[in-house]
Amino acid sequence: MKNLFDVSGKTAVVTGGSSGIGAMMAKGLLSNGAKAYITARKLERLEAMAEELSQYGECVAIQADMSKVEGIEAFVEEVSKHEDSIDILINNAGANWAAPLEQFPEKGWDKVMDINIKSVFFTTQKFIPLLKAAGTSESPARVINIASINGIRNSGMPTYAYSASKSGVIHLTEHLATDLASSNINVNAIAPGLFPSDMTKQIVENDGMADAAIKQIPRGRMGQPEDIAGTAIYLSSRASAWLTGKTIALDGGMISTA
């Protein structure tokens, strides 16, 4: 029972790992003895984050465009040059687009859907051989999909593609979990609430908006790096070996008050 949350020696892949909660989860895994591959589209930012995270453990940066299947395939091929198996895949890369209903553009819809839901499916699909190679009955490989509480309830914001895509992530998580359980691969999701990130900076950096948002959170604060990292570690460790197909709302109780 002493090592229930041990992730030392495991190899993780974190998409969208150059900033925000992706970097927070990568840091948590690295700090607890895992090796991490992080990917993002912008190389300079990605390499800077990999250098920063390398003080906590072995962190490898691989540039990739996860919105396209060919980009996903190239990324998996590059990881496969270094690893015969992958213990943890965190599908975190995401995008958002806000526009009034009458003006919401097709390019915004497609951009969000390509990275938020299409990439989750095809990244998982392409990594199946490496995940199978790592998983056993007692210690399954893990896929962790990053959804959002806005995939569970109406955010009240004109982010139609984002909400729809994150709802899709939650359902896809259940579907993949059912199909991959026999391959010793657990699939779960985290639905974060308000965390500081590029996607939420308009709220976080505006005192009035931040205060209003925090008033809706029973715990009285926004999420911290330890919150998302701790949940990712739980979903990656022996402690969650019998948990699959579930979405954990990590929001300080926000949606419970709706």
Side-chain angles (χ1 to χ4, degrees), residues 112-131:
V112 172
M113 287 294 178
D114 282 349
I115 193 66
N116 286 10
I117 185 65
K118 186 177 82 173
S119 73
V120 170
F121 178 80
F122 285 104
T123 302
T124 303
Q125 180 195 67
K126 303 305 179 184
F127 267 111
I128 285 174
L130 291 179
L131 291 163

Side-chain angles (χ1 to χ4, degrees), residues 42-110:
K42 296 179 180 179
L43 181 59
E44 185 176 349
R45 188 175 189 182
L46 176 67
E47 290 182 336
M49 180 54 68
E51 182 177 356
E52 179 181 334
L53 291 175
S54 290
Q55 64 183 299
Y56 305 103
E58 185 177 358
C59 183
V60 181
I62 301 176
Q63 182 185 27
D65 182 354
M66 304 301 286
S67 68
K68 298 179 173 63
V69 173
E70 54 265 36
I72 294 168
E73 290 175 335
F75 175 60
V76 175
E77 181 180 355
E78 188 62 29
V79 173
S80 299
K81 292 177 182 178
H82 305 280
E83 305 293 340
D84 296 322
S85 63
I86 291 294
D87 300 287
I88 305 155
L89 169 62
I90 302 181
N91 289 310
N92 168 72
N96 198 2
W97 194 291
L101 176 59
E102 296 83 358
Q103 300 167 22
F104 203 96
E106 182 181 9
K107 66 178 182 179
W109 185 272
D110 290 346

Side-chain angles (χ1 to χ4, degrees), residues 136-149:
T136 67
S137 178
E138 289 300 313
S139 181
R142 314 301 171 91
V143 176
I144 303 170
N145 298 325
I146 304 304
S148 168
I149 59 169

Side-chain angles (χ1 to χ4, degrees), residues 226-243:
E226 293 81 1
D227 299 316
I228 191 75
T231 305
I233 289 168
Y234 163 62
L235 291 176
S236 301
S237 68
R238 173 62 184 85
S240 66
W242 208 46
L243 182 75

Side-chain angles (χ1 to χ4, degrees), residues 3 10 24 33 44 70 87 104 179-180 225 249:
N3 299 313
K10 293 183 180 291
M24 294 175 196
E44 185 176 349
E70 54 265 36
D87 300 287
F104 203 96
D179 291 348
L180 292 174

